[in-house]
Amino acid sequence: MTPSALSQHVVIVGGGFAGLHAAKRLGKAGCRVTLLDKRNFQLFQPLLYQVATGSLPPGDIAIPQRVVLRKYPTVRAIQATAYDVDPQARVLRHEHGELQYDTLIVATGVKHSYFGKDQWKPFAPGLKTVEHAIEIRHKIFKAFELAEVTEDPAERARLMTFVIVGGGPTGVELAGAIGELAHKTMVKDFRAIDPRAARIILVEGAAGVLPVYDRSLRDAARQSLEQLGVTVMTETRVEDIGERSVRIRRGDAVETIDCGTVLWAAGVTASAFGQILAERTGAERDRGGRVMVNPDCSLPGHDNIFVVGDLAKLKDAAGHEVPGLAQGAIQEGQYVANLLLARARGKTLAPFRYKDLGSMAVIGMNHAVGDLRLFKVRGIVGWFIWAFVHVASLVAPEQRVSVFLEWAWKYLTRRQGDRLITTNPTNTQRLRAERLAPGRNQAA
Amino acid sequence: MTPSALSQHVVIVGGGFAGLHAAKRLGKAGCRVTLLDKRNFQLFQPLLYQVATGSLPPGDIAIPQRVVLRKYPTVRAIQATAYDVDPQARVLRHEHGELQYDTLIVATGVKHSYFGKDQWKPFAPGLKTVEHAIEIRHKIFKAFELAEVTEDPAERARLMTFVIVGGGPTGVELAGAIGELAHKTMVKDFRAIDPRAARIILVEGAAGVLPVYDRSLRDAARQSLEQLGVTVMTETRVEDIGERSVRIRRGDAVETIDCGTVLWAAGVTASAFGQILAERTGAERDRGGRVMVNPDCSLPGHDNIFVVGDLAKLKDAAGHEVPGLAQGAIQEGQYVANLLLARARGKTLAPFRYKDLGSMAVIGMNHAVGDLRLFKVRGIVGWFIWAFVHVASLVAPEQRVSVFLEWAWKYLTRRQGDRLITTNPTNTQRLRAERLAPGRNQAA
């Protein structure tokens, strides 16, 4: 790069796969970069369901951006929420101040969405953040705890019913992991209940789970789920979600399922910053709020502003829409970094071209289905390939070892340690005051 | 045991060291036991400071009671807060119902206390629970994040000042671990600040840290702390704690220290259930609220009610007061179980006798001081013995391996992954609405 290029300031908003990989590549070349994120860590979302079901601690699938970027002295990471951008003045505004940029890369991703039914949110947590995963973990394990202690059979049955909405990879993986908890891991842990009596219902609107997959893999996935005790309801729509039940419709048949836990794995929408960027630049957005970009990931009319990762709606050079997967985000982040480095040398690059490395989903400990382009995999072979691919994708080398050791250990022992319910428990004095209040029967 | 003894019902309130070890021993003998705890897990408190400073995930130092008790089919564990006891009717009341008992073992421990200054609580979290540890972790790492992003030097200095109140093992270990983060682990992670500029101040009222230890070990501990950049202020009392400062007094000198983080490691008081038990049984309590028990851990006048662990105030057969340590709690829990088993055979046991196995404190990664009765240790030898003793004390075998591997890995790499700040970050839309409100200057 030329000295003038090195003095340019690249500001990246969002430290997920896309933003972090752009920052690494630019940092390696010695560019001056500031990376902003609301969080101080990058999250490996494909494994988040394992945090939600107590197999992995969050620290094993997340790493602070500043640790990843430690070796690049020209890259600064700051934890801050960005809330405005001025494309004329080239200023990004964030909660602690503002940053002057030469180039802006926006990689703020997507969050989960209830398709306009936000009233369902308190009853059906989604799975996009570490907090969601911990909340889901508490819900799942608390349901079994309460089922063990209640003496009302109907209430016990309700508590042991789990409904997962959405039959994509996240829904399939969550349902499989809960099935495995109930049918394998926790079998001997209770006295009043048999965890195998749990009902785990996966609800999907399409004709099969994992709708983007090949027919034979879809069938294999369904079979694996059913072996773990999961009831798969396809062509079924959720009509309403309440505190203690879900109403579903299949054709003309409507059913209300009493349940203790509903998990939402059905939809995503663009981050709030995507809307702000579109307002300030006049960029177009699709129905899901994603920002339409040029084939080189730049915003139409703004060749120094780029959108990468899940927030971008991009048809690549081959005319294929880039899917919202980690591999797409990584490739786009690296592409934009390379493009900026080429521009600094007075050159340019051909439009972005997505390289599809295949996709996989895991069902329980040792079943996975995957379409790896050259061949399809399933069963335990699928699981091993899945485990290898995921461990290899973790950003930091020390995480690879740690996750791999945890998995190996868990695999050998079939135990799980991270089942802690760490919300504050019922306070003794408050409970006493309430139960022993004057006028109440003490023996109640 | 006689069949009638086996049909007796032992109810244990509290699943920490004392309660869980009593349950294990009784379960092994086939007794009918119900163990209640507010939490679904037992916590290894001596390592909690490592969770607070990002070295270990909570799942490595905690395990669900029901997993530990899995192999004892006559033992049932339930997660419930107990709020009342009726010693005449032999009934324990809890949030989900009540339990009839023949024998009651109370092991609800202690919580931290602000010596009547509860107004300090919001500013100076203590360290007794997993939630406290996570809160402290967020405070510590957030302080460095905010120091990196602020442009005000006074604010930066304030954020990088940490005050730890209390020079016992918890305070010493916390101060040492923060010193190690600032002076070793995080040295290369920031651009605007040098973490080594952090001020870490340990405040202790007595003449030295670790007041119960031998003089030479106290001096070694102080020296190790100072090598990690910790300022040790002894004979110093805290007069007030606010949101942004601490006022201390040493003799006639009063100083106000501006600081971003205050941690409380100074005092404990008995659990709320201890007071309820005393009210219902007429038991005496000491100034700290601990329940006075007979030399066999039973309550005076109630030979079927026992108090064990930190909640018990007990002079053992040798006339020594049993200290509030894990080893005391384990020994008392096992003693009471053995006593019940002996009674079932028509026998009894000699009064409880405490076996002091020594005590240790760790300062940073490879320094520890310890008095192991036969000999004293310090430095890296101390650290290895400390690590060995602590790993060996973890209840579940699979945790031993997992913690040991994590430590070994951390030791080899000097990295730490679990520095995640997992509270919800600033919301983009709320921030935008606030900052861009009409009448406010957009560039503010």
Side-chain angles (χ1 to χ4, degrees):
Chain A
M1 285 178 75
T2 59
S4 67
L6 284 173
S7 67
Q8 301 255 314
H9 186 207
V10 180
V11 169
I12 303 174
V13 189
F17 280 112
L20 195 53
H21 277 271
K24 279 172 76 173
R25 187 143 300 191
L26 291 168
K28 217 167 176 173
C31 295
R32 193 157 69 90
V33 175
T34 303
L35 175 80
L36 279 87
D37 199 295
K38 286 181 173 192
R39 308 267 175 184
N40 74 328
F41 57 87
Q42 186 236 358
L43 179 66
F44 192 77
Q45 273 183 356
L47 289 178
L48 199 53
Y49 83 95
Q50 295 218 357
V51 176
T53 51
S55 299
L56 289 177
D60 270 359
I61 65 157
I63 189 163
Q65 287 94 359
R66 64 174 71 265
V67 171
V68 177
L69 299 171
R70 179 183 278 169
K71 54 186 163 185
Y72 309 116
T74 59
V75 181
R76 183 179 174 198
I78 61 180
Q79 188 187 1
T81 295
Y83 69 92
D84 197 18
V85 57
D86 181 337
Q88 282 69 47
R90 302 191 168 190
V91 166
L92 178 84
R93 298 202 175 87
H94 62 85
E95 60 181 316
H96 305 297
E98 55 182 47
L99 288 163
Q100 190 82 38
Y101 65 80
D102 298 298
T103 300
L104 179 69
I105 302 176
V106 178
T108 52
V110 292
K111 52 187 182 175
H112 66 274
S113 146
Y114 293 87
F115 306 130
K117 301 279 191 178
D118 280 352
Q119 66 273 30
W120 295 353
K121 194 173 174 177
F123 311 124
L127 186 62
K128 276 279 159 192
T129 67
V130 168
E131 290 86 353
H132 296 151
I134 299 290
E135 182 188 353
I136 290 176
R137 183 194 284 185
H138 290 168
K139 265 189 106 88
I140 293 170
F141 292 110
K142 189 77 190 176
F144 283 103
E145 291 295 337
L146 290 172
E148 169 76 3
V149 78
T150 187
E151 279 160 25
D152 173 353
E155 177 68 358
R156 184 176 297 159
R158 182 184 74 81
L159 287 164
M160 289 178 72
T161 302
F162 299 81
V163 177
I164 298 103
V165 184
T170 299
V172 165
E173 289 171 344
L174 270 175
I178 298 172
E180 190 164 78
L181 278 174
H183 285 262
K184 295 187 176 169
T185 318
M186 303 205 303
V187 165
K188 293 187 185 160
D189 292 1
F190 295 88
R191 302 292 172 257
I193 62 168
D194 181 345
R196 287 169 293 194
R199 279 178 81 199
I200 303 152
I201 302 166
L202 180 64
V203 180
E204 164 62 40
V209 295
L210 303 175
V212 301
Y213 283 67
D214 176 282
R215 178 69 190 255
S216 68
L217 293 178
R218 292 204 315 256
D219 292 346
R222 187 177 188 134
Q223 210 184 338
S224 298
L225 284 170
E226 284 168 353
Q227 277 167 7
L228 288 169
V230 176
T231 306
V232 180
M233 294 187 176
T234 49
E235 294 180 314
T236 305
R237 304 207 163 268
V238 170
E239 284 202 337
D240 197 21
I241 300 178
E243 196 181 347
R244 298 165 64 90
S245 66
V246 168
R247 196 171 71 237
I248 57 169
R249 171 184 292 272
R250 185 174 187 173
D252 288 337
V254 173
E255 188 188 348
T256 296
I257 304 171
D258 289 334
C259 56
T261 307
V262 188
L263 306 180
W264 186 259
V268 294
T269 188
S271 66
F273 195 78
Q275 190 185 334
I276 293 164
L277 180 71
E279 277 172 25
R280 293 301 198 194
T281 60
E284 271 184 81
R285 305 204 298 152
D286 75 355
R287 273 184 58 202
R290 290 183 301 165
V291 178
M292 316 278 226
V293 293
N294 292 326
D296 66 354
C297 300
S298 66
L299 271 194
H302 296 268
D303 72 353
N304 70 329
I305 301 181
F306 297 86
V307 182
V308 287
D310 287 356
L311 181 63
K313 165 100 168 181
L314 169 64
K315 270 205 173 125
D316 82 348
H320 298 131
E321 190 170 311
V322 182
L325 296 172
Q327 49 181 311
I330 292 170
Q331 291 173 31
E332 288 173 10
Q334 291 174 338
Y335 170 84
V336 168
N338 288 337
L339 180 64
L340 293 177
L341 296 173
R343 281 190 192 171
R345 291 190 306 268
K347 299 183 177 168
T348 188
L349 288 184
F352 177 74
R353 184 180 283 267
Y354 176 62
K355 195 172 159 204
D356 183 358
L357 304 170
S359 47
M360 303 194 78
V362 71
I363 302 128
M365 270 299 295
N366 49 17
H367 286 267
V369 297
D371 183 345
L372 299 177
R373 313 289 294 162
L374 291 176
F375 53 96
K376 293 176 177 51
V377 293
R378 67 185 71 157
I380 192 160
V381 174
W383 188 85
F384 270 105
I385 292 178
W386 176 88
F388 181 82
V389 167
H390 280 80
V391 171
S393 313
L394 290 172
V395 164
E398 70 269 29
Q399 283 191 308
R400 289 179 205 165
V401 175
S402 160
V403 173
F404 196 81
L405 288 175
E406 288 225 20
W407 278 356
W409 185 248
K410 183 184 146 196
Y411 197 76
L412 292 170
T413 60
R414 282 221 166 270
R415 296 203 185 192
Q416 286 174 306
D418 220 347
R419 286 193 235 162
L420 318 181
I421 301 170
T422 53
T423 43
N424 280 317
T426 307
N427 180 282
T428 307
Q429 280 155 332
R430 258 198 305 272
L431 180 68
R432 183 172 174 81
E434 181 195 312
R435 294 291 170 93
L436 301 187
R440 269 203 67 144
N441 182 354
Q442 285 200 15
Chain B
M1 286 178 70
T2 61
S4 66
L6 283 174
S7 66
Q8 302 257 313
H9 185 207
V10 181
V11 169
I12 302 174
V13 189
F17 280 111
L20 194 54
H21 278 270
K24 280 172 77 173
R25 188 146 295 191
L26 292 167
K28 216 166 177 175
C31 295
R32 192 157 70 87
V33 174
T34 304
L35 176 79
L36 279 88
D37 199 298
K38 287 182 172 188
R39 307 267 174 182
N40 75 329
F41 57 88
Q42 186 234 359
L43 179 66
F44 191 77
Q45 272 183 354
L47 290 179
L48 198 53
Y49 84 95
Q50 296 217 356
V51 176
T53 51
S55 299
L56 289 176
D60 271 357
I61 65 157
I63 189 162
Q65 287 94 1
R66 65 174 70 265
V67 171
V68 177
L69 299 170
R70 179 183 278 169
K71 53 187 163 186
Y72 310 116
T74 59
V75 181
R76 182 179 176 201
I78 61 179
Q79 189 188 2
T81 296
Y83 69 92
D84 197 18
V85 57
D86 181 338
Q88 282 70 47
R90 300 190 166 189
V91 166
L92 179 83
R93 298 202 176 87
H94 62 86
E95 61 181 314
H96 305 296
E98 58 183 47
L99 288 162
Q100 191 82 38
Y101 64 81
D102 298 297
T103 299
L104 180 68
I105 302 176
V106 178
T108 51
V110 292
K111 52 187 180 174
H112 66 274
S113 146
Y114 292 87
F115 306 131
K117 302 280 191 178
D118 281 352
Q119 66 273 28
W120 296 352
K121 195 173 174 175
F123 311 123
L127 186 63
K128 276 280 160 193
T129 67
V130 168
E131 290 85 351
H132 295 152
I134 300 291
E135 182 188 352
I136 289 176
R137 183 194 283 185
H138 290 168
K139 266 188 106 85
I140 293 170
F141 291 108
K142 189 76 191 174
F144 283 103
E145 291 296 340
L146 290 172
E148 170 77 2
V149 78
T150 186
E151 278 160 25
D152 173 354
E155 177 67 357
R156 184 177 296 160
R158 182 184 76 82
L159 287 163
M160 291 178 71
T161 303
F162 300 80
V163 177
I164 298 103
V165 184
T170 299
V172 164
E173 288 169 346
L174 270 175
I178 298 171
E180 190 164 78
L181 279 174
H183 286 263
K184 295 186 177 171
T185 318
M186 303 205 301
V187 165
K188 293 188 187 160
D189 291 2
F190 296 88
R191 302 292 172 255
I193 60 167
D194 181 346
R196 287 170 293 194
R199 279 178 80 198
I200 302 151
I201 301 166
L202 180 63
V203 179
E204 164 63 40
V209 295
L210 303 174
V212 303
Y213 283 65
D214 176 280
R215 176 69 190 255
S216 68
L217 292 177
R218 293 207 311 259
D219 291 346
R222 187 179 189 134
Q223 210 185 337
S224 298
L225 284 170
E226 284 169 353
Q227 277 167 7
L228 287 168
V230 176
T231 305
V232 181
M233 293 187 177
T234 49
E235 294 179 311
T236 305
R237 303 205 164 270
V238 170
E239 284 203 338
D240 197 21
I241 299 177
E243 196 181 348
R244 298 166 64 91
S245 66
V246 169
R247 195 171 70 239
I248 57 170
R249 172 186 290 272
R250 186 175 187 175
D252 289 336
V254 174
E255 188 188 346
T256 296
I257 303 170
D258 290 335
C259 56
T261 306
V262 188
L263 306 179
W264 185 258
V268 294
T269 189
S271 67
F273 195 79
Q275 190 186 334
I276 294 164
L277 180 71
E279 277 172 25
R280 293 301 197 195
T281 60
E284 271 184 80
R285 303 205 297 152
D286 74 356
R287 275 183 56 200
R290 292 182 300 164
V291 178
M292 317 279 227
V293 293
N294 293 325
D296 66 354
C297 299
S298 66
L299 269 194
H302 297 268
D303 71 352
N304 70 330
I305 301 181
F306 297 85
V307 181
V308 288
D310 288 356
L311 182 63
K313 165 99 168 183
L314 169 63
K315 269 206 173 120
D316 83 347
H320 297 132
E321 189 170 311
V322 183
L325 295 173
Q327 50 179 312
I330 293 170
Q331 291 174 32
E332 288 173 10
Q334 291 174 337
Y335 171 85
V336 168
N338 288 336
L339 180 64
L340 295 177
L341 297 172
R343 281 191 191 169
R345 293 189 306 267
K347 298 185 179 169
T348 187
L349 288 185
F352 175 74
R353 184 179 284 266
Y354 176 60
K355 196 172 155 202
D356 183 358
L357 304 170
S359 47
M360 302 194 78
V362 73
I363 302 128
M365 271 298 295
N366 50 15
H367 286 266
V369 297
D371 182 346
L372 299 177
R373 311 290 294 163
L374 292 177
F375 54 95
K376 292 174 178 54
V377 292
R378 68 187 68 160
I380 193 160
V381 175
W383 188 86
F384 270 104
I385 294 178
W386 176 89
F388 181 83
V389 167
H390 280 82
V391 171
S393 311
L394 289 172
V395 164
E398 70 269 28
Q399 283 191 306
R400 288 179 206 166
V401 175
S402 157
V403 173
F404 196 80
L405 289 175
E406 288 226 19
W407 278 358
W409 184 249
K410 184 185 147 196
Y411 197 76
L412 291 170
T413 60
R414 281 221 168 271
R415 294 203 187 192
Q416 286 175 306
D418 222 346
R419 286 191 233 164
L420 318 181
I421 301 170
T422 52
T423 43
N424 279 318
T426 307
N427 180 282
T428 306
Q429 279 153 332
R430 258 199 305 272
L431 180 67
R432 183 173 173 82
E434 183 194 311
R435 294 289 170 92
L436 301 188
R440 266 204 68 145
N441 183 353
Q442 284 200 17

